[in-house]
Amino acid sequence: MLTDRDELDCFLILAEELHFGRTAERMLLSRARVSQLVQRLERRVGARLFLRTSRSVALTSLGSQLRADLEPHHRGIAAALDRAAATARAADGVLHVGFTTPPAGELVLRAAQALRTTHPGITVEVCEVPLSDPYGQLRGGAFDVAFAEFPVREPDLGEGPTLFTEARSLAVAAGHPLAARDSVTLEELAGVALLGVAGDLPGYLREHQAPARTPAGRPIRRGPEVTNLQEALMLVAAGRGALLTSAHAAAYHARPGITHVPVADAEPVGYGLVWRAGEDTGAVRAFAQAAQRAAARAGAAAPRDQVPQDQVP
């Protein structure tokens, strides 16, 4: 038996109000239209659902049974429609995306371009994430999602899988003894002063960027702390310290007086998307899927030290 949605809505509201006038007001209908809908449903069922007099309205026993059977399904349908509408709303509007490195920024732009076709309602605005404050603007709402360097171990932030990885390298002054090497090892970091990053960074991130000891436990000297990459490169060129960075720096940040030497035994650096926990909206999910596809397409052309991953966010 096919039943009009208006009939069911009318039945459930009248079963709650037990008053035709109030039911008509809630449904923005006339009292006559409410009566029509109730009578039509009763004809479909084949029995009376309400006992009505000039002074009162009451459910019949069959009406009470039908109400008990219908209400949970009606609430489920309403909730499903609300969720679908919320998802549709969340997949429109402006999405603010942060990036930490030039390769991450390029992938953000490729994902944004793809979204123009698949989700034309989403506008992506891109901005660089400060080196000295990797999570503050994301937490504060300036970004909806950020393409960040892993690891990220923040309980209030959610993260997707690694989308691509890079080998690590060491930036040293051109006159430094290590500058003539084809590669260095983590153990040899004991012979340099590593630049750190100023700011309120979590301990695990400080250790990742500038470890305090070599794998064998030898101490690594601390160099000056910097707030941005250009400041760091100036200090490296001046012989004030070395910078542990990713392989892209040799191409994107080449400058006189600095040599980038691969670190042979370092774990690759991974990059992926990070957002505020519980706020992976429809727009964030759409962008994550576009970023994954962009990373996969870049796989065939990627250099050996920059390898896209095949996980799906």
Side-chain angles (χ1 to χ4, degrees):
M1 177 180 64
L2 296 177
T3 305
D4 192 304
R5 171 75 184 271
D6 287 343
E7 292 176 15
L8 298 182
D9 289 344
C10 185
F11 167 74
L12 289 171
I13 293 172
L14 183 58
E16 178 185 341
E17 295 287 352
L18 296 178
H19 191 282
F20 277 81
R22 290 194 295 270
T23 299
E25 289 175 3
R26 283 180 58 178
M27 296 190 71
L28 303 179
L29 299 174
S30 67
R31 293 181 60 151
R33 179 58 177 159
V34 169
S35 294
Q36 271 185 345
L37 290 171
V38 171
Q39 291 167 6
R40 196 163 68 188
L41 181 60
E42 288 177 331
R43 286 196 295 272
R44 291 180 190 277
V45 171
R48 297 286 295 274
L49 299 173
F50 294 94
L51 297 173
R52 34 199 188 270
T53 69
S54 59
R55 295 184 178 181
S56 66
V57 178
L59 283 164
T60 65
S61 58
L62 179 60
S64 296
Q65 175 190 320
L66 181 61
R67 179 187 186 185
D69 289 341
L70 282 178
E71 277 189 328
H73 300 290
H74 190 266
R75 287 194 299 269
I77 291 170
L81 291 172
D82 288 343
R83 286 193 297 272
T87 299
R89 288 193 301 270
D92 285 332
V94 178
L95 188 71
H96 296 88
V97 182
F99 67 93
T100 53
T101 66
E106 291 174 356
L107 190 55
V108 167
L109 291 176
R110 289 197 293 271
Q113 185 175 10
L115 281 183
R116 294 192 192 106
T117 300
T118 61
H119 293 78
I122 300 176
T123 300
V124 177
E125 293 189 358
V126 181
C127 188
E128 187 174 6
V129 176
L131 181 66
S132 59
D133 188 17
Y135 311 128
Q137 292 189 9
L138 178 61
R139 286 189 172 112
F143 302 136
D144 300 299
V145 61
F147 214 127
E149 180 177 319
F150 288 167
V152 176
R153 300 170 187 155
E154 305 299 301
D156 61 330
L157 299 180
E159 63 181 83
T162 300
L163 293 184
F164 71 90
T165 62
E166 283 190 286
R168 302 197 84 179
S169 65
L170 184 70
V172 295
H176 193 281
L178 294 179
R181 300 278 298 277
D182 291 332
S183 65
V184 297
T185 66
L186 290 172
E187 202 60 37
E188 290 176 294
L189 297 181
V192 301
L194 283 182
L195 301 180
V197 177
D200 188 20
L201 273 66
Y204 71 86
L205 190 55
R206 287 187 178 278
E207 180 65 18
H208 174 73
Q209 293 174 342
R213 294 186 176 275
T214 70
R218 298 164 64 197
I220 301 173
R221 287 181 292 133
R222 294 290 188 187
E225 290 193 337
V226 300
T227 59
N228 59 72
L229 185 58
Q230 293 306 314
E231 183 182 348
L233 294 174
M234 288 178 60
L235 291 174
V236 171
R240 298 280 304 280
L243 180 67
L244 192 59
T245 184
S246 300
H248 75 267
Y252 287 91
H253 304 295
R255 56 180 295 167
I258 295 179
T259 299
H260 296 267
V261 186
V263 183
D265 56 347
E267 289 291 326
V269 178
Y271 296 86
L273 296 179
V274 182
W275 54 83
R276 292 180 295 279
E279 296 188 29
D280 50 336
T281 63
V284 170
R285 290 193 295 272
F287 182 81
Q289 292 166 1
Q292 190 275 334
R293 290 191 293 267
R297 285 194 295 270
R304 293 176 62 187
D305 56 11
Q306 184 179 318
V307 184
Q309 305 296 294
D310 60 1
Q311 295 99 323
V312 176

